[in-house]
Amino acid sequence: PSINSTEYKSTLLCRGRFGLKVLQKGWLSLDQFDACKHFFRRFLKKKQGTLWYRLFTERYLTKKSLGNARMGKGKGALDTLMLYVKKGQILFEIRIKDLTQIEMLAFAIKVLLKQCQNKVSLPTKILISKK
């Protein structure tokens, strides 16, 4: 069966051995994404691994002040950034540089990905490649 190139890029692990995949389309706030990045940075600083982000900010939401805004005064200041996620898209990929430590670190990486699942508002699945 042939696989569409865009489908292949966003739904399969291509660089890392561990990943976090979204099971439903929707929006993530930048705060949720940054919380996950914080977990990964803290963990990988000690363990000498590599992390890839597979999505980027897409929508800027603005907000006007409630009391003073009249018609014709513009859009308002930036309030939040949102990330659109497709069904089956991978959010993060992790690769550990030292392959001899993978067996020991697999449990710690799974715990780390579970923490990220709790932070993300969409249903997700942990992927482990058998490379």
Side-chain angles (χ1 to χ4, degrees):
S2 65
I3 297 175
N4 187 356
S5 64
T6 58
E7 184 178 317
Y8 174 77
K9 286 181 182 178
S10 65
T11 60
L12 299 175
L13 290 174
C14 61
R15 294 182 182 135
R17 190 166 209 160
F18 303 94
L20 190 65
K21 182 178 189 175
V22 177
L23 301 177
Q24 177 183 344
K25 70 177 182 176
W27 293 92
L28 291 178
S29 71
L30 191 63
D31 296 335
Q32 294 171 346
F33 189 66
D34 284 341
C36 292
K37 285 195 319 189
H38 176 72
F39 287 141
F40 286 121
R41 276 193 219 123
R42 204 172 62 200
F43 177 78
L44 293 175
K45 186 166 99 175
K46 301 172 193 170
K47 308 299 183 196
Q48 299 300 318
T50 309
L51 172 69
W52 286 277
Y53 311 122
R54 298 283 298 269
L55 71 159
F56 302 99
T57 56
E58 190 158 310
R59 177 82 35 119
Y60 298 93
L61 298 181
T62 60
K63 189 174 185 180
K64 276 189 167 182
S65 61
L66 289 177
N68 301 336
R70 296 176 118 186
M71 284 177 48
K73 299 296 181 189
K75 258 182 112 168
L78 287 177
D79 186 39
T80 58
L81 295 169
M82 300 296 284
L83 301 112
Y84 180 69
V85 181
K86 298 175 189 172
K87 180 180 178 182
Q89 186 173 0
I90 294 177
L91 298 178
F92 303 101
E93 286 191 45
I94 303 173
R95 182 174 65 196
I96 301 299
K97 291 179 183 174
D98 189 10
L99 294 177
T100 59
Q101 293 183 350
I102 280 207
E103 299 300 325
M104 296 181 343
L105 296 176
F107 180 74
I109 290 173
K110 286 179 189 176
V111 169
L112 180 71
L113 290 170
K114 286 275 188 194
Q115 288 178 340
C116 287
Q117 280 183 321
N118 293 335
K119 290 291 179 185
V120 173
S121 61
L122 299 171
T124 57
K125 178 181 177 182
I126 295 174
L127 298 178
I128 301 172
S129 174
K130 293 177 176 60
K131 294 180 194 177

